[in-house]
Amino acid sequence: MSAPKTIYDKIWDAHVAHEAEDGTCLLYIDRHLVHEVTSPQAFEGLRMSGRTVRAPEKTIAVPDHNVPTTLGREDPETMPEDSRVQMAALDQNAKEFGIHYYPMNDVRQGIVHIVGPEQGWTLPGMTVVCGDSHTATHGAFGSLAHGIGTSEVEHVLATQTLIQKKSKNMKVEITGSLKPGVTAKDITMSVIGETGTAGGTGYVIEYCGQAIRELSMEGRMTVCNMAIEGGARAGLIAPDEKTYVYCKGRPHAPKGANWELALIAWKDLFTDEGAHFDKVITLKGEDIAPSVTWGTSPEDVLPIDALVPSPEDFEGGKIDAVRRSLDYMGLTPGTKLSDIEIDTVFIGSCTNGRIEDLRAAAGVLKGKKVKDGLRAMIVPGSGLVRAQAEEEGLADIFKDAGFEWRMAGCSMCLAMNPDQLAEGERCASTSNRNFEGRQGYKGRTHLVSPVMAAAAAITGKLTDIREFG
Amino acid sequence: MEKFENVSGVAAPMPLVNIDTDMIIPKQFLKTIKRSGLGANLFDEMRFTRDGAEIEDFVLNKPAYRKAEIIVAGENFGCGSSREHAPWALRDFGIKVVISTSYADIFYNNCFKNGILPVVLPKEAVDILMEDAERGENARITIDLDGQTVSATDGTEFKFEVDEFKKHCLMNGLDDIGLTMQKVKAIDSFEAEYAAKTPWA
Ligand code: SF4
């Protein structure tokens, strides 16, 4: 009998197209997602060397990072010059190389990591890559999904393979159930708080345990999305009934006999009893609290009822990093996190821009008003999420509460387009990165879950959702 | 890609941990559709004020480090966004080697594809090299890729590990795609077999 394998081992083994003596492999890629910011130089490279896209039918392009999210955004008159240039380049490249494409005015357009699963491109057991670090999101389906650089984008376009060496296996188990008010976002932030942003470097994480099984597909995507923030190459979760139900009937999911065949194969995607993990981390679901970041690294995370730490609480190089971070964030050690006042709320991104996230936020906002003077925006993750939210009446709840209701895109998650924080502005954000300047020059970001963001919009400060009612 | 030649030069000390790619090249410079020219905006928000004036304190603005070819950095250098604009900007500025205890995976790989050698050394070694780097032009650090050593100013040698294949490509300026194209037969036959097994994929 062969040695017991993890899911990662299984997917890896099924995709090795060539292995060199030193263990360097050519890993075959099933889905290549492409967006406007990290791809132009790759297509330029193909053109310069006279190469073509090897598997255009497995290559999917959608603009998201730099698209305006205001209504009427297609108007080239109002679009910033650089957006227009990148949009035009993607348009041209998609057409010239014959790849699948969802242009900005297509209702299916949205953040690449939301569009992939939504359209049934992302399926269990697949290898998925994209020139974007949050490709880890797709691991929620039990696929091996990771971010790549532009040279690698070009490599995959030309060869449908990626040069890879195998990573190590890490198991992150969340036992038991989550308490009320605690979400997938809090799980994934707590794990990073535990491991640090470099704790996962060199690993592929498998998330498992009862609390993970109890999450919806949306929640699982939120968890895997931030695997990269813990430094991991990818994060994945074994597929189960919820996964199949989510995939079934999506435009590019298999149909008929192929669906039956796929199901048989997918049912083998679990980690064998006794398989080896190089590292194991276990958290108790009931110990996880609604969490919030206080600094400028995703590892700077604490439960909402904690206090802003002091640099002396840390060791080594982190002491200076924390000093710098607190200065940047304008925070004094010892302040209660729940006393921190904010001026902006952003709900959206590939971490928390799916329909379930909007439903959760609407649940908190129903019949309430955004605090006077606070700027609040909701940017759905895709045009289809937006349409669904309108149909369910969520959009009205948001608008009545005083939120801006935007078109789909990355928006203030990385603030490439005009959706930015002003200098010194403080934002409760459902995105995944709180780096310096991430949401705007000298902008200050506190990462939170959608329900916590919604509550903060009403009270005007970081708020413990458990005490909010 | 240019061949990687051994480097002996001034190293800029950047002891901060978790220097992310947003710091290396802020997103407002990702709007280009070209690879070149990003060096002017390397570490932009740490290097310049909003109105474009140089921030004197920032290491690369100090006379001794304007021509640095090496960066000695705190742990987990290059974390965050996968943007290859980060190594493009470093290389365009003239950085050929980064030395740290650890890097984020994607950034680490991206370096090799752009002629930059990311050296991993234990903390004790990085601490010594950091001290060297702090001495500015009074200290030179030497990197020999073939011999896999970094030498501090006083001659102390530190051996580092690097993947054989990556080293080979860097030393010979080889382009990955060309190399993979030589294995196209293996890809073809894998693809045919795989398609038969997984008709839905
Ligand atoms: S939403 Fe944010 S994290 Fe996600 S792909 Fe867009 S920019 Fe990246």
Side-chain angles (χ1 to χ4, degrees):
Chain A
M1 236 193 73
S2 58
K5 291 178 176 182
T6 64
I7 305 179
Y8 171 49
D9 299 335
K10 291 180 183 179
I11 301 178
W12 175 272
D13 291 348
H15 288 84
V16 175
H18 179 271
E19 181 162 359
E21 273 165 25
D22 69 346
T24 305
C25 293
L26 285 179
L27 200 65
Y28 190 78
I29 301 303
D30 292 313
R31 295 287 181 261
H32 185 190
L33 309 172
V34 170
H35 67 79
E36 79 280 23
V37 176
T38 54
S39 71
Q41 292 88 350
F43 285 109
E44 181 197 21
L46 282 189
R47 225 175 263 123
M48 276 161 41
S49 47
R51 292 174 175 138
T52 54
V53 175
R54 181 180 167 103
E57 74 285 1
K58 299 181 181 198
T59 312
I60 301 101
V62 59
D64 56 1
H65 282 62
N66 202 6
V67 297
T69 57
T70 40
L71 291 169
R73 60 181 175 178
E74 301 86 356
D75 182 357
E77 291 293 303
T78 58
M79 209 192 287
E81 171 66 15
D82 55 84
S83 301
R84 201 163 49 230
V85 169
Q86 285 190 331
M87 236 50 76
L90 189 67
D91 209 75
Q92 151 90 30
N93 290 329
K95 287 179 186 145
E96 184 179 330
F97 291 96
I99 61 183
H100 295 278
Y101 179 43
Y102 303 105
M104 196 172 59
N105 57 5
D106 189 313
V107 69
R108 296 166 300 177
Q109 177 271 345
I111 304 170
V112 62
H113 308 309
I114 293 192
V115 173
E118 206 168 67
Q119 292 301 316
W121 289 113
T122 307
L123 296 168
M126 285 187 161
T127 48
V128 181
V129 296
C130 174
D132 185 276
S133 46
H134 293 98
T135 311
T137 314
H138 307 262
F141 290 79
S143 59
L144 176 59
H146 41 69
I148 54 179
T150 299
S151 295
E152 291 173 313
V153 170
E154 189 179 337
H155 191 277
V156 177
L157 287 173
T159 69
Q160 205 55 27
T161 64
L162 193 62
I163 302 175
Q164 284 282 288
K165 269 205 173 161
K166 203 168 170 198
S167 305
K168 291 177 281 184
N169 278 290
M170 185 194 304
K171 172 159 113 173
V172 173
E173 185 177 8
I174 317 291
T175 60
S177 296
L178 299 178
K179 292 248 177 75
V182 182
T183 69
K185 182 68 165 284
D186 304 302
I187 294 183
T188 200
M189 291 205 291
S190 302
V191 171
I192 298 163
E194 190 77 20
T195 62
T197 48
T201 305
Y203 291 94
V204 165
I205 297 177
E206 178 178 344
Y207 298 96
C208 61
Q210 186 184 331
I212 299 288
R213 295 262 72 92
E214 287 175 0
L215 291 176
S216 64
M217 284 315 292
E218 282 86 352
R220 293 178 192 180
M221 285 188 252
T222 303
V223 170
C224 290
N225 176 274
M226 287 187 73
I228 182 74
E229 251 48 75
R233 186 125 189 88
L236 49 76
I237 294 173
D240 59 13
E241 215 42 60
K242 283 184 194 168
T243 321
Y244 315 143
V245 168
Y246 182 99
C247 293
K248 194 161 189 187
R250 301 222 167 235
H252 295 278
K255 315 243 154 26
N258 271 346
W259 173 260
E260 299 305 325
L261 269 178
L263 263 191
I264 296 171
W266 294 348
K267 291 197 168 149
D268 194 38
L269 290 169
F270 57 85
T271 288
D272 297 331
E273 192 73 31
H276 174 73
F277 283 97
D278 302 277
K279 191 165 169 181
V280 177
I281 286 171
T282 309
L283 294 184
K284 286 195 190 132
E286 51 285 8
D287 288 352
I288 298 175
S291 302
V292 51
T293 61
W294 49 266
T296 55
S297 165
E299 71 189 15
D300 301 340
V301 64
L302 282 170
I304 177 70
D305 51 13
L307 308 178
V308 174
S310 125
E312 286 74 47
D313 301 340
F314 297 83
E315 285 172 6
K318 187 74 188 167
I319 299 174
D320 273 343
V322 168
R323 202 168 283 132
R324 183 183 162 97
S325 207
L326 291 178
D327 180 51
Y328 180 90
M329 293 296 290
L331 293 176
T332 315
T335 310
K336 281 165 80 175
L337 290 171
S338 56
D339 280 345
I340 297 175
E341 295 192 3
I342 51 155
D343 17 59
T344 309
V345 168
F346 170 71
I347 298 180
S349 88
C350 60
T351 321
N352 285 125
R354 283 171 284 269
I355 188 69
E356 187 182 272
D357 301 312
L358 301 198
R359 285 184 194 133
V364 175
L365 292 169
K366 190 158 193 194
K368 304 246 170 44
K369 288 273 181 241
V370 165
K371 182 146 199 255
D372 261 355
L374 188 139
R375 170 185 180 206
M377 67 164 88
I378 298 202
V379 183
S382 73
L384 289 174
V385 169
R386 185 181 150 91
Q388 172 87 20
E390 289 187 336
E391 198 182 303
E392 291 181 18
L394 310 181
D396 291 330
I397 296 177
F398 300 142
K399 286 189 264 186
D400 290 347
F403 270 83
E404 293 172 39
W405 177 237
R406 298 293 194 101
M407 302 294 282
C410 294
S411 181
M412 204 192 267
C413 172
L414 94 164
M416 265 189 86
N417 68 9
D419 308 346
Q420 303 186 356
L421 293 180
E423 217 169 308
E425 258 184 339
R426 191 182 293 283
C427 178
S429 175
T430 66
S431 54
N432 47 37
R433 284 194 174 137
N434 51 344
F435 298 154
E436 287 182 19
R438 173 78 178 181
Q439 296 195 290
Y441 182 75
K442 299 253 151 120
R444 293 160 170 164
T445 302
H446 295 277
L447 302 177
V448 290
S449 70
V451 284
M452 292 269 282
I458 298 163
T459 62
K461 50 186 195 157
L462 298 177
T463 299
D464 191 338
I465 186 68
R466 295 168 300 190
E467 291 165 7
F468 182 85
Chain B
M1 203 168 75
E2 263 176 72
K3 289 184 184 176
F4 183 91
E5 307 284 350
N6 289 342
V7 179
S8 179
V10 170
M14 299 193 78
L16 196 63
V17 301
N18 296 333
I19 293 182
D20 57 68
T21 53
D22 280 73
M23 288 185 196
I24 299 173
I25 184 82
K27 67 215 156 225
Q28 60 270 32
F29 306 106
L30 307 189
K31 296 169 174 179
T32 169
I33 54 171
K34 302 219 175 63
R35 288 176 208 241
S36 54
L38 287 162
N41 304 104
L42 177 69
F43 294 114
D44 195 87
E45 287 176 3
M46 298 161 97
R47 206 165 132 207
F48 304 107
T49 61
R50 267 250 120 155
D51 42 31
E54 285 189 2
I55 297 170
E56 254 177 68
D57 276 1
F58 183 68
V59 61
L60 296 179
N61 288 334
K62 295 181 185 164
Y65 298 107
R66 285 181 177 269
K67 296 226 164 78
E69 294 174 278
I70 303 162
I71 289 177
V72 185
E75 68 179 45
N76 200 27
F77 188 79
C79 59
S81 157
S82 65
R83 61 188 68 157
E84 199 156 322
H85 307 68
W88 294 338
L90 286 164
R91 194 65 192 78
D92 195 56
F93 181 87
I95 302 296
K96 295 176 184 151
V97 179
V98 186
I99 300 172
S100 177
T101 50
S102 63
Y103 302 87
D105 278 341
I106 300 177
F107 175 82
Y108 185 78
N109 285 321
N110 281 343
C111 281
F112 286 97
K113 299 184 194 310
N114 292 283
I116 298 173
L117 173 65
V119 175
V120 182
L121 285 174
K123 183 157 188 325
E124 304 73 52
V126 174
D127 286 348
I128 293 172
L129 295 168
M130 190 72 77
E131 275 179 34
D132 262 4
E134 268 150 15
R135 287 161 53 205
E137 280 162 327
N138 301 324
R140 292 185 96 72
I141 292 177
T142 304
I143 293 95
D144 172 2
L145 175 55
D146 196 23
Q148 294 181 213
T149 56
V150 176
S151 311
T153 312
D154 65 3
T156 318
E157 247 182 36
F158 303 103
K159 190 101 182 132
F160 64 88
E161 294 298 321
V162 57
D163 179 89
E164 271 306 316
F165 179 67
K166 289 197 167 91
K167 172 176 162 182
H168 174 74
C169 292
L170 203 54
M171 288 189 61
N172 297 293
L174 294 177
D175 149 25
D176 281 350
I177 299 180
L179 287 167
T180 300
M181 287 293 201
Q182 295 171 359
K183 304 192 186 101
V184 72
K185 283 224 177 77
I187 303 174
D188 286 345
S189 64
F190 174 87
E191 197 170 51
E193 218 175 283
Y194 181 74
K197 260 191 295 186
T198 57
W200 65 86

